[in-house]
Amino acid sequence: MNTLVALCAVGAEKILGNEIKHLGYKLAGNAPGRVSFLGDDDALFRSNLCLRTADRVYLQLASYSALDFDQLYDGTYSIAWQDFLNKDSRIVVDKVRTYKSKLNSEHSVQGIVHKAIYSKLGDIWHMASLPESGEESDIRVYVDENQVLILLDLSGLPLHKRGYRTDGGIAPLRETTAAILLQEMMWRRKTPLHDPFCGSGTIAIEASLYAYNVAPGFGRRFALENLPFFNAERALEIRQKEAEQIRTDVEVRITGSDIDAAAVERARKNAEYACVMAGRALKTIGISRHVPRPDFVQSDFADLAAPYENGLLLCNPPYGERLGDDEQACELYRNMDSLWSEFPNWDIGVITSNEHFQESFGHKTSRIKKLKAGNLDTSFYVYTRIKKQEK
């Protein structure tokens, strides 16, 4: 059994934990921005392929107490690094985080861990120096209250990089954040969904992947695939098994709109790439079916009206960082009252970093969820308007 650590947006730990449990793995604890869980060897690949709200997945190589640098070095050296790295691996201790620990110099911890890894591999392989001509292998270190975690990156590029977004436009919403918002709203595929500020189409595309049971990682590779313990044959079997879960026979009503014609075209292209990715996965199991694309149209949000009695408006409207200044953003939020009026029986979810949103929008939220999305501290405003029995 392996211990894995999945990273996520701070505030999304419970949602990620529920995802992990849904895959059949046992939770083993959490901390801000990360969730630990236990999984078999399949979990190393399957978690990367299937988790929608995780930013990265790591394999935990060691957990031990260290009160000084000697103990830090010895604990790192004791790991059987030769089982996890190749002889030509380019080893990078990419990040160190310390919290309430005697070892509080992140730079020093980074150097000691790096030295211990190279010393161990040099001793095992009888090499005075390592070639470092191969793929990069990233190591992350947490020192929490004197307890050291040594983690090996299995993902490579962050998992929000699904592989379908060719152009994100200005300050696009992360794919993993969009997936978090869908879970926060407890959205189900039978509920119509519209994004009135679709931008690059991320919310609608992530909703489509979720609705049709398409694993988000079908369009990319992972760092795990470069490591010596990677089982390529088993990974292909896992991909094929997940492809069997894709559904194209369900009714889904997912749409998006934007006042910017270029944004609408960008969203369509990204959705096309995402659905082609799903189609290729189906072809690996001998099925030639297409995953329906979400519909995008050019429109000012002020011209929209509800096409169905109930549904969900979910959006990432421009805030000060993208719109030019705070006053312009607040004016847009005030004008968004038209959505409240024209979609009277629709739930509404809005993510923004602008602290004046609710005041400008003019409606009291049902709840507010704080999320650390990228480098921004954001708030997700939820307005529940559909009666529970109607959902």
Side-chain angles (χ1 to χ4, degrees):
M1 192 63 67
N2 305 288
T3 299
L4 297 103
V5 178
L7 304 190
C8 63
V10 175
E13 297 84 4
K14 184 176 180 180
I15 285 175
L16 174 56
N18 287 338
E19 254 205 294
I20 291 168
K21 288 191 291 185
H22 183 71
L23 289 181
Y25 304 126
K26 183 178 179 180
L27 299 183
N30 63 57
R34 67 183 194 265
V35 179
S36 300
F37 62 102
L38 303 178
D40 56 13
D41 288 345
D42 283 356
L44 305 183
F45 184 80
R46 186 165 173 251
S47 59
N48 277 283
L49 179 69
C50 296
L51 289 176
R52 301 180 190 277
T53 62
D55 290 323
R56 287 183 183 276
V57 177
Y58 290 89
L59 175 62
Q60 180 176 303
L61 301 185
S63 175
Y64 59 92
S65 177
L67 301 177
D68 56 40
F69 287 116
D70 287 339
Q71 292 177 339
L72 174 67
Y73 180 94
D74 291 344
T76 304
Y77 187 92
S78 68
I79 298 169
W81 290 102
Q82 68 276 11
D83 295 339
F84 302 106
L85 300 173
N86 297 306
K87 285 188 177 182
D88 63 350
S89 292
R90 183 160 55 90
I91 303 161
V92 177
V93 182
D94 71 328
K95 285 189 179 178
V96 173
R97 293 290 181 265
T98 64
Y99 175 74
K100 292 185 178 180
S101 298
K102 290 185 177 295
L103 300 176
N104 55 21
S105 170
E106 295 179 354
H107 180 73
S108 297
V109 169
Q110 184 180 39
I112 292 295
V113 169
H114 195 269
K115 180 181 178 181
I117 297 171
Y118 272 78
S119 295
K120 177 61 172 285
L121 292 178
D123 291 345
I124 290 292
W125 290 328
H126 307 290
M127 301 170 69
S129 62
L130 303 180
E132 297 190 278
S133 57
E135 298 289 339
E136 180 177 308
S137 293
D138 290 339
I139 310 298
R140 181 166 293 202
V141 183
Y142 290 97
V143 188
D144 290 348
E145 298 181 342
N146 301 314
Q147 189 71 16
V148 179
L149 291 182
I150 305 292
L151 309 177
L152 174 63
D153 181 24
L154 301 179
S155 300
L157 289 174
L159 293 178
H160 75 265
K161 295 183 179 294
R162 313 290 205 210
Y164 64 72
R165 191 159 70 182
T166 58
D167 184 359
I170 301 173
L173 186 71
R174 283 187 177 185
E175 293 86 338
T176 45
T177 304
I180 290 167
L181 303 187
L182 290 164
Q183 294 302 315
E184 278 288 342
M185 296 300 300
M186 294 185 289
W187 180 74
R188 296 295 178 263
R189 66 166 69 95
K190 68 179 182 180
T191 304
L193 180 147
H194 184 77
D195 178 359
F197 304 94
C198 69
S200 58
T202 305
I203 288 175
I205 295 169
E206 287 297 315
S208 293
L209 296 182
Y210 176 70
Y212 296 114
N213 291 345
V214 179
F218 273 131
R220 55 163 290 169
R221 290 173 52 83
F222 309 104
L224 169 64
E225 298 177 59
N226 300 318
L227 299 175
F229 55 92
F230 174 62
N231 186 333
E233 182 177 345
R234 183 58 188 152
L236 177 59
E237 293 173 354
I238 293 170
R239 280 185 177 272
Q240 292 175 335
K241 185 175 181 180
E242 293 302 327
E244 292 172 0
Q245 306 305 311
I246 297 175
R247 297 188 61 184
T248 58
D249 60 342
V250 293
E251 181 183 13
V252 177
R253 293 164 291 181
I254 299 171
T255 55
S257 60
D258 201 290
I259 194 172
D260 182 0
V264 172
E265 182 60 25
R266 187 162 52 240
R268 287 172 178 162
K269 287 183 178 180
N270 290 337
E272 180 67 18
Y273 277 110
C275 293
V276 166
M277 171 189 79
R280 287 173 178 167
L282 284 170
K283 285 183 179 179
T284 65
I285 55 173
I287 296 176
S288 295
R289 287 204 299 262
H290 297 287
V291 172
R293 281 66 168 153
D295 292 325
F296 297 99
V297 298
Q298 181 183 2
S299 175
D300 189 328
F301 69 87
D303 297 328
L304 299 174
Y308 307 101
E309 181 180 356
N310 303 123
L312 169 62
L313 286 174
L314 186 59
C315 60
N316 172 40
Y319 16 98
E321 289 83 354
R322 293 190 291 152
L323 199 60
D325 60 48
D326 186 69
E327 181 50 40
Q328 284 181 288
C330 290
E331 179 64 21
L332 182 144
Y333 300 150
R334 286 190 285 271
N335 292 336
M336 281 174 62
D337 183 63
S338 66
L339 295 174
W340 185 273
S341 302
E342 294 298 326
F343 293 76
N345 298 313
W346 285 48
D347 288 344
I348 299 175
V350 180
I351 187 170
T352 177
S353 67
N354 191 303
E355 60 185 14
H356 303 298
F357 170 76
Q358 185 170 206
E359 175 187 351
S360 301
F361 187 41
H363 299 282
K364 184 178 179 181
T365 185
S366 304
R367 61 186 174 90
I368 302 174
K369 177 71 174 182
K370 300 291 186 181
L371 289 171
K372 181 79 169 180
N375 294 323
L376 289 176
D377 291 312
T378 64
S379 296
F380 183 48
Y381 297 87
V382 176
Y383 299 87
T384 304
R385 306 169 76 201
I386 303 175
K387 292 181 181 179
K388 189 172 183 181
Q389 64 268 24
E390 293 177 335
K391 282 194 172 183

